[in-house]
Amino acid sequence: MHLLRKLEKPLFSNGYALSAETNRLGALNPTQANLPIEKIRELFALQGYVWLKGFFDKAEVLLLRSRFFNAYKNSGLLQPESDPQEGFFSGNSESENNPKILMEFVRTAAYEAFCLQPKLWQFYDDLFQSPSYLHKRKIVRYKTPDHSNQLLKGHPTTTPAHYDLIYLRGGNDKVVSSWIPLGDTPIEMGGLVYLEGSALLGKKMEAEFAINNKNLSPEERISAYNKNMTEGGWVGKDLGAMAEKFNTRWLVADYEAGDMVIHSPYMIHAATDNVDAMGRIRLSTDIRYQSIREELDVRWENHWTLEDML
Ligand SMILES: O=C(O)CCC(=O)C(=O)O
């Protein structure tokens, strides 16, 4: 079993602390990316996720990180004179132009080519034992370091707990998400955290939502924001309380550039605050593959925009 390294301070997510002392924190289980696909399939079914170490060529991932931050070179986001690849935050509040730069980046051929590289789609072809499909709606997230977020209890400053099917109900549950850190992301930089064993919980929750949503219109029924859902479709914001309630742990990881985590659409996950002592911005992408033969959520057939409300 992989052991959790010592953390200097509690982690925070949306203003709620998550301390190692409560025994509600554990280490995500790493897997060698070159294991036979049958073994990866087995781990995926067992854990609800597989953290594939060194799946991508590290240099290629860092090149994409460079491209991303180079686009922000004159935006005020980065420390002046710093190497854009490092992504050192300037500390300035966000400029109005930043969302536009982000929306342009997700449409670049370089980013698309990264998401569609043969190594990745061939992996999914093997996993599904069928030709695979990449959902067009592909998300890139950057998270600036901020130590003051801890004061903002309940105010969403980073990704609250959820499972992905809440947002993809127009298709079926055979969709698989790839979370890809674009740069080294030690625990303190606020990468994804997974609720251990939660794929079963997510499945149960979704079955209950399906019953409650039965009398809604077809459009409402698949919406993450319908009247039966909580704000934002989230399962919760207080990660510690959730781990207590379900008697489980949040699994955290020191991710490296080149890693990829694949997770089940029922696996509950969230992010913690970025409190990197070096002031680096956390950058990642999350994309979804599915067998071309399965039912797809057509709402995901367009590029992601900040206003698409999915
Ligand atoms: O990167 C994040 O903060 C959230 C990503 C996510 O929810 C996902 O990969 O499904």
Side-chain angles (χ1 to χ4, degrees):
M1 196 170 82
H2 198 61
L3 290 181
L4 179 64
R5 75 166 157 86
K6 188 168 163 25
L7 299 173
E8 294 304 322
K9 293 184 186 150
L11 301 173
F12 272 80
S13 182
N14 297 301
Y16 296 95
L18 190 58
S19 159
E21 270 110 65
T22 60
N23 293 327
R24 294 294 176 198
L25 275 186
L28 200 70
N29 184 32
T31 294
Q32 279 171 23
N34 59 2
L35 282 192
I37 198 72
E38 296 75 25
K39 186 74 198 151
I40 291 175
R41 222 178 275 130
E42 210 175 281
L43 281 169
F44 187 73
L46 188 74
Q47 303 178 149
Y49 73 89
V50 188
W51 173 20
L52 295 160
K53 289 297 301 168
F55 180 88
F56 297 104
D57 174 36
K58 187 167 185 142
E60 224 180 285
V61 173
L62 293 178
L63 185 63
L64 195 66
R65 182 176 173 88
S66 262
R67 277 184 197 281
F68 181 86
F69 285 124
N70 261 303
Y72 283 85
K73 212 167 173 184
N74 301 315
S75 70
L77 182 71
L78 304 176
Q79 273 175 26
E81 314 296 327
S82 64
D83 175 358
Q85 184 175 296
E86 297 289 347
F88 286 129
F89 181 44
S90 64
N92 293 338
S93 59
E94 299 266 331
S95 112
E96 266 176 30
N97 209 20
N98 290 1
K100 182 168 176 286
I101 300 173
L102 181 60
M103 292 300 93
E104 279 174 10
F105 181 81
V106 294
R107 286 165 168 70
T108 58
Y111 169 63
E112 287 258 313
F114 179 87
C115 299
L116 269 172
Q117 59 185 278
K119 175 150 201 219
L120 186 51
W121 64 254
Q122 282 164 5
F123 167 82
Y124 274 114
D125 278 12
D126 290 348
L127 188 75
F128 299 139
Q129 294 177 293
S130 138
S132 56
Y133 169 82
L134 171 65
H135 287 257
K136 251 227 152 44
R137 187 172 186 268
K138 305 183 294 306
I139 304 175
V140 175
R141 305 178 204 246
Y142 69 89
K143 198 77 198 62
T144 54
D146 189 346
H147 298 256
S148 64
N149 284 341
Q150 301 176 359
L151 305 171
L152 299 168
K153 205 166 227 150
H155 180 78
T157 51
T158 191
T159 309
H162 67 283
Y163 57 88
D164 288 358
L165 201 64
I166 292 177
Y167 306 96
L168 282 143
R169 288 175 171 151
N172 71 16
D173 64 3
K174 303 291 187 291
V175 57
V176 176
S177 300
S178 274
W179 185 79
I180 306 166
L182 300 176
D184 290 348
T185 310
I187 296 170
E188 291 77 5
M189 275 178 81
L192 274 207
V193 298
Y194 289 90
L195 192 63
E196 190 170 33
S198 64
L200 281 176
L201 280 174
K203 198 164 191 167
K204 210 165 136 234
M205 287 178 194
E206 192 56 19
E208 281 163 21
F209 282 130
I211 294 170
N212 295 340
N213 292 341
K214 206 171 57 217
N215 296 324
L216 301 179
S217 69
E219 199 184 314
E220 282 269 288
R221 205 177 302 146
I222 59 170
S223 167
Y225 311 104
N226 71 38
K227 64 177 185 169
N228 296 323
M229 305 299 299
T230 59
E231 165 219 352
W234 313 121
V235 175
K237 290 185 198 149
D238 183 345
L239 304 188
M242 276 182 70
E244 281 298 328
K245 179 173 167 192
F246 298 116
N247 191 23
T248 182
R249 306 182 298 171
W250 286 97
L251 305 179
V252 301
D254 288 314
Y255 299 106
E256 291 175 286
D259 294 354
M260 167 169 82
V261 193
I262 59 169
H263 59 249
S264 138
Y266 293 118
M267 188 73 188
I268 298 176
H269 54 283
T272 54
D273 289 345
N274 179 358
V275 289
D276 183 41
M278 288 161 72
R280 287 165 300 177
I281 301 173
R282 185 267 259 194
L283 181 66
S284 61
T285 184
D286 43 286
I287 60 176
R288 278 129 199 110
Y289 269 90
Q290 198 166 347
S291 158
I292 198 71
R293 303 197 177 118
E294 297 290 348
E295 192 185 352
L296 306 168
D297 189 330
V298 293
R299 299 171 304 167
W300 283 62
E301 280 185 9
N302 291 311
H303 282 294
W304 169 58
T305 65
L306 289 168
E307 302 83 31
D308 66 15
M309 285 305 290
L310 285 177

